[in-house]
């Protein structure tokens, strides 16, 4: 089990760190779009909404699609990955109201990570504390999944805020 922190450096930039070592960055292109760039340990990825309404979001490395996600009717985010030509599925969901958190689970319901948001009132940005499971720590793509979980949490928060 590992612990990570996500810090908001600027309004559109988030850094994922483990023991103060930078693991990755997520940089949004603007406030009102879900387009973003991710960089992890020397690799670069692009996040782009697809479709007429932009409800499906893709993660690409160059032109290669590595994963897709979309929010379903009950507020869960369904993630499909295509790492190493193997298709896998995950669910990212919000849990609780007073002890708010997000959970990434595999197709069998096993919790892989828990994210706890922390609103920084001075910047009006969220920062997060992430705890991963021992199973998650064995994933070769864990850095990408951590960064996508961060994007999903921000996506969820913006969708909920827009709905109010």
């Amino acid at each position: 089990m590992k612990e990570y922190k996500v810090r908001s450096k600027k309004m559109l930039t988030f850094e994922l760190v483990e023991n103060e070592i930078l693991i990755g960055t997520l940089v949004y292109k603007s406030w009102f779009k879900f387009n973003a760039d991710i960089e992890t340990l020397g690799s670069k990825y692009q996040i782009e909404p697809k479709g007429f309404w932009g409800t499906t979001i893709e993660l690409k490395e160059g032109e290669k699609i590595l994963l897709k996600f979309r929010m379903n009717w009950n507020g869960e985010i369904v993630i499909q990955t295509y790492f190493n030509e193997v298709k896998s599925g995950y669910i990212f969901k919000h849990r609780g109201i007073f002890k708010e958190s997000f959970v990434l689970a595999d197709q069998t319901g096993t919790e892989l990570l828990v994210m706890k948001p922390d609103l920084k009132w001075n910047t009006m940005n969220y920062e997060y504390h992430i705890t991963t499971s021992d199973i998650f720590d064995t994933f070769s793509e864990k850095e990408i999944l951590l960064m996508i979980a961060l994007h999903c949490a921000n996506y969820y928060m913006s969708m909920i805020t827009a709905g109010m």
Side-chain angles (χ1 to χ4, degrees):
M1 180 166 35
K2 291 187 179 179
E3 295 192 8
Y4 301 87
K5 290 193 187 293
V6 175
R7 299 184 290 227
S8 176
K9 294 307 273 182
K10 300 177 189 169
M11 293 300 275
L12 302 173
T13 302
F14 294 83
E15 291 182 344
L16 173 71
V17 297
E18 179 189 14
N19 297 324
E20 298 304 316
I21 297 171
L22 182 65
I23 303 297
T25 57
L26 170 65
V27 180
Y28 291 95
K29 303 207 180 205
S30 78
W31 274 31
F32 304 107
K33 295 187 179 184
F34 295 114
N35 295 57
D37 292 322
I38 291 177
E39 189 168 340
T40 61
L41 307 172
S43 297
K44 294 184 180 186
Y45 310 94
Q46 304 79 41
I47 298 174
E48 301 173 353
K50 292 295 177 188
F52 182 73
W53 298 105
T55 54
T56 297
I57 300 185
E58 295 178 341
L59 174 77
K60 293 180 167 184
E61 184 176 29
E63 292 302 312
K64 185 176 183 179
I65 298 170
L66 298 178
L67 67 81
K68 296 180 182 183
F69 69 85
R70 63 177 169 67
M71 189 175 283
N72 67 14
W73 61 271
N74 63 355
E76 297 175 339
I77 296 175
V78 178
I79 302 169
Q80 289 292 316
T81 64
Y82 308 98
F83 301 128
N84 301 317
E85 310 302 323
V86 176
K87 184 177 177 182
S88 297
Y90 303 93
I91 296 289
F92 185 85
K93 58 187 172 181
H94 181 256
R95 178 168 73 182
I97 295 175
F98 298 111
K99 290 188 173 188
E100 185 176 43
S101 63
F102 296 98
V103 175
L104 179 69
D106 66 13
Q107 291 175 318
T108 65
T110 302
E111 289 185 5
L112 301 172
L113 66 82
V114 176
M115 295 180 73
K116 295 186 179 185
D118 180 23
L119 178 61
K120 297 298 180 188
W121 289 99
N122 57 337
T123 61
M124 290 307 290
N125 262 356
Y126 281 95
E127 295 189 352
Y128 300 92
H129 181 265
I130 303 171
T131 305
T132 60
S133 70
D134 292 335
I135 294 168
F136 183 83
D137 294 336
T138 66
F139 289 10
S140 60
E141 304 86 9
K142 66 183 173 188
E143 290 84 9
I144 298 172
L145 287 172
L146 283 163
M147 298 306 292
I148 285 300
L150 169 60
H151 184 71
C152 286
N154 289 336
Y155 178 77
Y156 183 91
M157 294 301 220
S158 68
M159 296 302 274
I160 295 305
T161 303
M164 292 183 168

